[in-house]
Amino acid sequence: MAPPALRVETHTFQTPDYNAEYTPKGQGLWVSAKRYTSEESVKNEGGLTLLFTHCNGSHKEQWEIVIAQLFNLQQSKAEPYRIREAWSFDRQNYGDAAVLNAQALFRRQDTVSLYEWALALSSFVQSPLLRGHRLVAIGHSAGATAWMLTTQHFHSPPYTSMFLVESTITHKAIFERELDERMQYMDFVVNLTLNRKYQWDSKQKAFEYFKKRVPWIMWDERSVRLLVEYGLHDSPDYRRGVSLKWTREQEAASYPDTKPHQESAIYLSRLCKQIPVHLVWGERVEFMPEYLRDSLSDPLEGMSPASVSYVQDAGHMVVQEKPDSLAEVISVKLDTLSPSSLTSGIGAKL
């Protein structure tokens, strides 16, 4: 069967008023999202609606290869396991959202907390657009923490299942025990980010630059092209060519924001008892050392995920490195979901 032709819609919505000091009263930052459907998928009201969030230093379109592959893998299966639609979201300081919020972000001079992103996602999940949908939340790295934080805004989980891909959720006690090691690594990542090149003469020059350097040299070439196409835009000063849509300062400030990751460990232990939570890791141990990985599936830490999977020949950037293999792992787990679970009449605390 030929893969379905996906239709893509771009949506923007204003988030709840999280930090009114830097935005007009009653108006929060903007979030940009894309909705993916096919001509046939929208007819399947009992199918799955997949919700995607990205890692730090990325953007919503980095999931597009995985999304297309999942539509293809699921289309020949029974209706409850087919994809109805998929949504992918920019964090307020990344991708198109960073462009929309540029002035407000400049005025506030701090990063967008994962709490702020989670509040925005929660407001979208309870919107009429998703009423009656069978929701599956899929987050990469910090994006996984964002989905976990949304659960505090609902009386019961609005999701049929959740996938945590290379999750950065961390037990507070373990983080504090390994504080020196974790902070040394954090400082390394922050300094690397602040000193990274962010402007190029053209998108073609940027592509050539990425293809020769770590970590992009390890990416699937299609992922590099997505970064160039959707992660870059014309610089405000046209003489400077193209630049990243988000600032290095915003990205660097995202990494030391550790409290949301630690609080999410509490929510994860609860959520595992309510819905299937699937952990997916890259085979190579990089950003999250083994002791942190293991803690998220340790019954002694109160964790009981439905499954733990590994993607071969991939590291922390598994979405970008092995998108097809990642989609296959997710597909297998989607087939284990209950065909009758439906999220209608979501009970929110907001």
Side-chain angles (χ1 to χ4, degrees):
M1 184 180 294
L6 293 186
R7 302 184 297 197
V8 184
E9 306 167 2
T10 299
H11 295 252
T12 56
F13 62 96
Q14 207 159 22
T15 63
D17 188 4
Y18 186 86
N19 195 335
E21 182 179 353
Y22 302 103
T23 55
K25 184 174 177 57
Q27 298 178 21
L29 295 176
W30 290 92
V31 168
S32 180
K34 283 188 174 178
R35 177 182 182 239
Y36 302 84
T37 60
S38 71
E39 184 177 357
E40 291 301 316
S41 75
V42 293
K43 303 173 185 176
N44 179 18
E45 294 186 357
L48 299 168
T49 294
L50 310 183
L51 308 175
F52 293 88
T53 50
H54 59 78
C55 63
N56 286 340
S58 192
H59 54 95
K60 60 186 179 299
E61 291 85 4
Q62 284 286 195
W63 278 106
E64 286 193 350
I65 304 169
V66 173
I67 290 170
Q69 184 71 342
L70 284 171
F71 267 93
N72 185 36
L73 290 169
Q74 302 302 115
Q75 68 172 330
S76 61
K77 298 174 182 177
E79 287 190 358
Y81 303 104
R82 297 178 197 168
I83 310 304
R84 177 178 181 176
E85 60 189 56
W87 290 81
S88 191
F89 304 88
D90 280 329
R91 189 170 170 178
Q92 294 96 316
N93 54 346
Y94 288 107
D96 292 331
V99 179
L100 293 170
N101 296 318
Q103 291 187 10
L105 292 172
F106 177 78
R107 288 195 297 268
R108 62 190 276 173
Q109 293 294 309
D110 65 355
T111 193
V112 174
S113 168
L114 286 170
Y115 294 112
E116 191 169 355
W117 195 16
L119 184 61
L121 294 170
S122 300
S123 70
F124 186 85
V125 165
Q126 67 164 332
S127 74
L129 285 169
L130 298 183
R131 187 167 296 141
H133 286 235
R134 298 171 62 225
L135 305 179
V136 178
I138 304 174
H140 179 208
S141 191
T145 298
W147 284 126
M148 193 58 59
L149 288 172
T150 66
T151 62
Q152 69 183 303
H153 298 298
F154 300 95
H155 295 293
S156 59
Y159 313 110
T160 300
S161 180
M162 187 177 289
F163 288 78
L164 309 179
V165 180
E166 278 287 321
S167 171
T168 45
I169 295 173
T170 306
H171 289 279
K172 182 179 180 180
I174 297 177
F175 183 87
E176 291 178 345
R177 187 188 71 199
E178 307 292 340
L179 184 62
D180 289 344
E181 183 263 343
R182 296 314 297 159
M183 293 311 298
Q184 286 178 13
Y185 189 80
M186 202 77 68
D187 290 342
F188 169 75
V189 173
V190 168
N191 289 328
L192 196 66
T193 301
L194 289 174
N195 291 285
R196 186 185 59 206
K197 184 177 176 67
Y198 71 101
Q199 289 184 322
W200 297 266
D201 291 337
S202 66
K203 286 188 173 183
Q204 180 58 34
K205 290 292 186 182
F207 177 76
E208 294 169 1
Y209 175 90
F210 291 134
K211 283 294 293 177
K212 296 176 182 177
R213 290 168 173 82
V214 175
W216 308 282
I217 197 172
M218 304 172 72
W219 290 14
D220 185 299
E221 184 174 306
R222 295 169 296 171
S223 298
V224 180
R225 293 194 181 278
L226 287 172
L227 172 60
V228 171
E229 179 62 26
Y230 297 108
L232 307 181
H233 68 156
D234 292 337
S235 296
D237 182 346
Y238 71 92
R239 295 169 297 181
R240 294 182 179 271
V242 298
S243 63
L244 285 169
K245 290 180 177 178
W246 57 93
T247 68
R248 293 176 295 182
E249 291 76 17
Q250 277 289 327
E251 181 180 344
S254 299
Y255 294 107
D257 185 23
T258 59
K259 183 181 177 182
H261 303 289
Q262 296 167 19
E263 185 175 329
S264 289
I266 300 171
Y267 302 133
L268 174 57
S269 64
R270 298 172 186 168
L271 193 65
C272 285
K273 298 175 178 63
Q274 297 173 295
I275 64 170
V277 178
H278 301 280
L279 303 181
V280 183
W281 302 104
E283 185 181 39
R284 293 195 315 275
V285 177
E286 292 179 340
F287 194 79
M288 292 291 283
E290 285 199 62
Y291 63 83
L292 288 180
R293 289 183 172 204
D294 292 345
S295 70
L296 297 188
S297 53
D298 186 353
L300 296 178
E301 298 288 351
M303 302 299 183
S304 53
S307 72
V308 181
S309 303
Y310 297 86
V311 179
Q312 291 187 342
D313 300 321
H316 186 65
M317 304 302 283
V318 57
V319 177
Q320 291 86 346
E321 293 177 13
K322 296 291 179 181
D324 294 320
S325 299
L326 175 58
E328 290 171 4
V329 168
I330 294 172
S331 173
V332 169
K333 302 307 177 185
L334 290 177
D335 293 344
T336 67
L337 299 180
S338 168
S340 61
S341 53
L342 186 69
T343 58
S344 58
I346 294 170
K349 297 179 183 177
L350 295 174

